[in-house]
Amino acid sequence: MSEVGADFYVSNLHKWFFCPPSAAFLYCKKSTSSSDVHHPVVSHEYGNGLPIESSWIGTRDYGSQLVIPAVLEFINRFEGGIDGIVKRNHDEVVKMGKMLAESWGTNLGTPPEMSAAMIMVGLPSRLCHNSEEDAVTLRSHLRDRYEVEIPIFHQVSKEGEEGVRDNEGFITGYVRISHQVYNTLKDYEKLRNAINQLVEDGKTCKMFYIE
């Protein structure tokens, strides 16, 4: 935190750090005014510093916090620890994104250098993805028929911008893929094959409304 000069920094730990929901951390830079920062739930530890004030805030399940030392031990089993995981996730999600874009004849919606462990990939224009409702319907169809769960977004060009095209038309739908240590090539191949099958069968998003 000292490198970025942050006064405060907050993040959850339940997703990329493998912790249960409700596990998070708050960083506060030491300063003469830090003693004025208090936990919103006050108790008999009030005035003993934010870490002590935050350690016990009433009757609740502290299990998500108690597992953090075990999570740290788990992360350090991987080569390079958390830094190694971050690098491999980035490298793999870019690799998988390029594989999907090549198979579908589309594009990456975000530059690799601006992607961490997630990246956007254009959907084939032949799916006729024309609205947010189409995104929801296509996502449900992939879940119900192919057992694929993937966020889908509708994206149109702003006024004055030239849209992105594939060989059939403008690309207006994007999937957002991610990568974590438990993902395998088969996960992305399943998504790739599902979209290719829909295109091969001549399916469009509007058809899924009546299925």
Side-chain angles (χ1 to χ4, degrees):
M1 299 304 169
S2 59
E3 293 180 1
V4 299
D7 293 317
F8 299 94
Y9 186 92
V10 63
S11 177
N12 69 67
L13 298 173
H14 80 269
K15 191 173 184 180
W16 302 108
F17 218 69
F18 307 101
C19 288
S22 80
F25 71 89
L26 169 65
Y27 165 85
C28 298
K29 182 179 180 180
K30 285 186 177 181
S31 68
T32 56
S33 60
S34 61
S35 60
D36 294 329
V37 179
H38 300 283
H39 195 281
V41 180
V42 297
S43 185
H44 62 280
E45 296 291 0
Y46 180 83
N48 290 328
L50 185 60
I52 299 299
E53 291 180 8
S54 304
S55 64
W56 182 262
I57 55 173
T59 304
R60 56 174 297 174
D61 181 5
Y62 288 89
S64 60
Q65 299 175 34
L66 296 175
V67 301
I68 292 176
V71 172
L72 289 169
E73 189 275 331
F74 170 74
I75 286 174
N76 287 327
R77 296 180 194 174
F78 293 87
E79 182 180 355
I82 188 62
D83 291 334
I85 291 174
V86 169
K87 184 181 186 305
R88 284 188 293 275
N89 283 343
H90 167 76
D91 292 345
E92 286 300 314
V93 82
V94 171
K95 180 180 177 181
M96 294 300 101
K98 289 180 177 179
M99 179 270 288
L100 293 174
E102 180 179 357
S103 178
W104 298 339
T106 60
N107 68 311
L108 295 180
T110 46
E113 63 272 16
M114 294 180 63
S115 304
M118 297 186 289
I119 201 165
M120 305 287 281
V121 185
L123 288 166
S125 62
R126 287 176 60 184
L127 291 175
C128 299
H129 185 283
N130 297 319
S131 66
E132 294 290 350
E133 290 75 15
D134 286 351
V136 173
T137 303
L138 177 57
R139 181 173 183 172
S140 297
H141 184 80
L142 289 172
R143 181 191 306 120
D144 296 339
R145 296 297 180 90
Y146 296 94
E147 297 182 337
V148 170
E149 180 61 59
I150 188 75
I152 301 177
F153 301 90
H154 177 62
Q155 179 66 48
V156 294
S157 300
K158 296 179 181 179
E159 186 175 352
E161 290 183 346
E162 184 177 350
V164 180
R165 299 179 61 97
D166 59 15
N167 290 333
E168 304 290 337
F170 287 103
I171 298 172
T172 54
Y174 287 83
V175 295
R176 189 198 70 198
I177 64 170
S178 57
H179 191 276
Q180 188 49 281
V181 296
Y182 43 74
N183 286 119
T184 67
L185 175 61
K186 290 183 178 180
D187 297 326
Y188 306 95
E189 290 178 335
K190 192 172 185 179
L191 169 62
R192 178 198 65 191
N193 296 341
I195 295 298
N196 284 339
Q197 187 65 57
L198 293 177
V199 172
E200 182 179 333
D201 292 343
K203 298 289 188 179
T204 66
C205 289
K206 294 301 181 186
M207 295 179 180
F208 306 141
Y209 286 85
I210 58 177
E211 290 187 357

